Amino acid sequence: MKTINNILMALPFMAAFTSCNAQLKNEKTVTVKVFGNCDMCESTIEQAAYKKKVASADWDQNTKLARITFDPTQTNEDEILKRIAYSGYDNEKYLAPDDAYAKLPDCCKYERKGKKEITANNAASHQGHTNVNTKDSTNHEKPGAEITAAPELYTLFDAYFNLKNALIQSDAKTASAKAAELLKTYDKVEMGKMKEAEHTVWMKEMGNVKKHAEKIATTKDLTAQRKHFSELSENMYTLSKVANLGYAVYKQHCPMYNDGEGANWLSKESAVKNPYYGSQMLTCGKTVETIK
């Protein structure tokens, strides 16, 4: 009965998998080792790889090999393997975060010999460097690395800082345009490229980031823009605490804004330039935290 239930549960996904294979364009197929145990592992691995009209996978629990088919104009092998790793399964390029592995059902907790093998292979191919979290000179992740930050996060923060600069200039038209640019970057953020801490925070904050950016983009009212920017800044602050941006971010505070309730913003510069009052009180405020 349990086997029958598992098959019934898998039927919708199997149909989607077949449909995806039939509709893929510019098809490319690779075979990679993915560690796992059972039918439930197979379902999870294949669902993690699956993206409608973009990618699919067929995993064999006996050989531990996944046959991955994808459209290389829309995705790549690394991105798919990162999604699989994030779902809890070590593979020949990426290690699952320990927390993701720990959340697997007991029957799915395979022996993580793959972690040792990947690290050992990484050491041999990189002249004895065994740190799986390092990057090479071209800034690409080495085989065996755990999932790192989504590159779109850098662009998202750049868009936020450009929006802040427009508000410093009290330029509502430019602020609206910069918020629209932030929304375009938002749409390109792929959670599959995030490390676990970023993913968790992004899932919590993404709705508010979009909401406040849309409000700013669709109005030329500077007062309304600044109000939503203060809310957006709180969402971006939470994200900045887990995003490894590679540079210092300064959390700054204006005590006078909103009838003395105050408001915060983020800056790449330590010098205070107030986005809530612009030239009226350009240097009103102070740095209250430095995030590195």
Side-chain angles (χ1 to χ4, degrees):
M1 182 64 71
K2 185 175 181 180
T3 302
I4 294 173
N5 287 338
N6 286 341
I7 293 172
L8 291 173
M9 289 174 64
L11 283 175
F13 175 72
M14 291 168 65
F17 174 83
T18 303
S19 175
C20 177
N21 274 342
Q23 297 173 0
L24 280 182
K25 296 180 180 179
N26 308 303
E27 183 177 299
K28 180 178 179 179
T29 300
V30 297
T31 301
V32 297
K33 179 170 280 190
V34 179
F35 297 90
N37 281 338
C38 59
D39 291 344
M40 193 178 295
C41 294
E42 180 177 6
S43 177
T44 302
I45 290 166
E46 292 178 356
Q47 288 184 51
Y50 177 74
K51 195 171 185 180
K52 187 177 181 180
K53 297 184 180 181
V54 175
S56 62
D58 183 12
W59 183 75
D60 188 304
Q61 64 179 282
N62 294 318
T63 64
K64 313 301 182 192
L65 293 176
R67 186 173 181 270
I68 298 174
T69 304
F70 60 96
D71 180 348
T73 66
Q74 299 191 61
T75 189
N76 56 62
E77 180 183 343
D78 281 355
E79 182 178 329
I80 297 165
L81 290 177
K82 284 180 180 180
R83 291 205 299 270
I84 292 173
Y86 184 76
S87 71
Y89 293 90
D90 294 342
N91 56 73
E92 65 183 52
K93 282 196 172 183
Y94 297 99
L95 302 177
D98 289 341
D99 288 350
Y101 173 81
K103 292 175 183 177
L104 292 176
D106 288 341
C107 65
C108 295
K109 288 184 178 174
Y110 54 92
E111 183 183 352
R112 298 195 78 185
K113 59 183 180 180
K115 190 167 185 177
K116 298 175 184 177
E117 289 176 7
I118 293 169
T119 305
N121 291 338
N122 187 50
S125 62
H126 291 279
Q127 301 177 343
H129 296 288
T130 58
N131 185 345
V132 296
N133 290 316
T134 58
K135 295 184 180 180
D136 62 20
S137 58
T138 59
N139 203 37
H140 295 300
E141 292 165 289
K142 295 177 180 179
E146 288 195 21
I147 301 171
T148 56
E152 291 87 352
L153 287 182
Y154 296 97
T155 310
L156 187 76
F157 274 91
D158 283 344
Y160 167 85
F161 293 131
N162 289 335
L163 168 59
K164 177 208 63 169
N165 291 337
L167 293 175
I168 290 171
Q169 298 298 321
S170 298
D171 186 338
K173 182 178 179 180
T174 300
S176 177
K178 295 303 179 183
E181 289 178 9
L182 191 153
L183 285 169
K184 289 180 181 178
T185 300
Y186 171 94
D187 289 337
K188 294 178 181 178
V189 172
E190 296 186 42
M191 288 183 284
K193 295 183 179 180
M194 291 182 176
K195 58 187 179 183
E196 185 171 8
E198 291 169 336
H199 180 277
T200 299
V201 172
W202 182 247
M203 287 293 290
K204 178 182 176 183
E205 301 294 344
M206 60 184 293
N208 286 327
V209 168
K210 183 177 184 180
K211 178 180 73 174
H212 295 302
E214 285 178 339
K215 293 292 186 179
I216 297 170
T218 54
T219 183
K220 299 297 191 298
D221 183 329
L222 194 59
T223 299
Q225 287 178 335
R226 283 170 166 157
K227 179 181 182 299
H228 286 289
F229 178 76
S230 70
E231 299 291 340
L232 174 63
S233 294
E234 294 304 320
N235 307 134
M236 296 299 288
Y237 167 71
T238 304
L239 188 58
S240 74
K241 297 287 284 185
V242 296
N244 183 15
L245 296 173
Y247 54 80
V249 175
Y250 301 94
K251 180 183 180 182
Q252 297 175 329
H253 178 74
C254 171
M256 297 182 65
Y257 183 70
N258 195 23
D259 295 327
E261 289 189 14
N264 302 312
W265 73 93
L266 303 179
S267 178
K268 292 174 71 174
E269 297 81 34
S270 58
V272 171
K273 293 183 180 179
N274 192 312
Y276 299 113
Y277 290 106
S279 60
Q280 291 181 321
M281 290 187 285
L282 184 61
T283 60
C284 175
K286 64 180 180 179
T287 297
V288 294
E289 184 179 350
T290 301
I291 306 156
K292 294 182 179 180

